[in-house]
């Protein structure tokens, strides 16, 4: 499998998004944990080492599943997970308060049964919290050794630049990345700050 650099994080060129193993597709009854774990193992055997999840998937079920799948194989994978998107809670749909970054990270580490997260994303920007505050808290997790790299999901170019001024942003994730267009602000920004 070809390898790529996301900043200083080396990952497989293809990643495995694990959301559908616990959430969004099919029904709870139609999901098969043994088959999901076998899928992760097969991906690893084929050299796909970037595994993506989030605390909102399940909620929490997907991280536990992925933790079981990588048990005994942690040194073969780059784990990416996300926080900040609230699932199943009425009212507030996102929570990017700085104190939530650490609380959610600790809970994800426990569910994944690992000592660090390779790539920790803010799942959605909280419009009530300046991005600089959220990223500052995420940077503290890097300093503490709980997280190796940080990423952002679904951000504008301006938000990415402001975040990157606080701490290097390794990756930007978008569900449907738009093709570059003239006047498009988000497409050229990621390479400008060194994110992939």
């Amino acid at each position: 499998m070809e390898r790529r650099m996301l900043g200083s994080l080396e990952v497989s060129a293809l990643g495995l998004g694990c959301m559908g193993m616990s959430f969004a597709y099919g029904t709870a009854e139609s999901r098969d944990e043994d088959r999901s774990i076998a899928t992760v193992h097969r991906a690893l055997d084929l050299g796909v080492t970037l595994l993506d999840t989030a605390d909102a998937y399940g909620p929490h079920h997907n991280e536990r599943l992925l933790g079981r799948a990588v048990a005994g194989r942690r040194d073969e994978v780059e784990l990416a997970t996300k926080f900040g998107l609230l699932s199943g809670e009425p009212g507030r749909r996102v929570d990017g308060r700085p104190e939530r970054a650490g609380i959610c990270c600790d809970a994800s580490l426990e569910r994944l049964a690992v000592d660090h997260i390779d790539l920790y994303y803010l799942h959605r920007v909280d419009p009530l919290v300046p991005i600089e505050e959220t990223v500052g808290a995420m940077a503290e997790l890097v300093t503490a050794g709980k997280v190796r790299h940080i990423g952002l999901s679904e951000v504008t170019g301006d938000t990415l630049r402001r975040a990157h001024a606080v701490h290097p942003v390794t990756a930007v994730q978008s569900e449907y990345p738009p093709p570059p267009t003239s006047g498009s602000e988000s497409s050229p920004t990621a390479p400008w700050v060194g994110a992939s």
Side-chain angles (χ1 to χ4, degrees):
M1 171 67 60
E2 184 179 329
R3 306 282 293 168
R4 300 241 169 96
M5 297 302 293
L6 300 181
S8 63
L9 176 63
E10 185 176 347
V11 299
S12 56
L14 297 176
L16 179 62
C18 299
M19 178 182 76
M21 296 175 183
S22 301
F23 175 75
Y25 305 113
T27 63
E29 297 77 28
S30 69
R31 295 185 193 103
D32 182 327
E33 287 195 16
D34 291 335
R35 187 171 43 174
S36 294
I37 290 171
T39 299
V40 171
H41 289 171
R42 181 67 175 140
L44 293 175
D45 293 342
L46 293 171
V48 176
T49 60
L50 177 59
L51 305 177
D52 182 84
T53 186
D55 62 2
Y57 301 160
H60 312 302
H61 176 269
N62 199 247
E63 287 182 329
R64 287 187 196 98
L65 174 70
L66 199 51
R68 288 192 299 276
V70 302
R73 299 184 77 170
R74 177 62 177 104
D75 61 338
E76 298 176 47
V77 304
E78 296 86 39
L79 286 174
T81 193
K82 298 175 272 307
F83 83 100
L85 185 62
L86 302 177
S87 179
E89 295 184 30
R92 191 175 182 136
R93 304 299 304 157
V94 294
D95 190 346
R97 292 175 295 153
E99 61 270 22
R100 291 287 296 164
I103 291 167
C104 293
C105 179
D106 288 342
S108 290
L109 288 167
E110 184 176 328
R111 286 188 293 268
L112 290 163
V114 298
D115 65 353
H116 71 277
I117 296 164
D118 297 297
L119 182 55
Y120 196 47
Y121 286 95
L122 174 62
H123 211 152
R124 294 291 186 275
V125 174
D126 187 334
L128 302 177
V129 179
I131 192 64
E132 295 85 353
E133 292 179 17
T134 305
V135 171
M138 294 170 76
E140 290 175 11
L141 298 171
V142 173
T143 301
K146 295 179 179 185
V147 169
R148 299 283 163 87
H149 304 270
I150 66 170
L152 301 173
S153 294
E154 308 295 339
V155 295
T156 65
D158 178 62
T159 299
L160 176 57
R161 280 190 288 276
R162 289 173 36 223
H164 190 76
V166 175
H167 187 273
V169 176
T170 297
V172 175
Q173 187 178 67
S174 295
E175 188 170 354
Y176 296 106
T181 60
S182 68
S184 170
E185 185 171 334
S186 61
S187 296
T189 303
W192 179 79
V193 299
S196 297

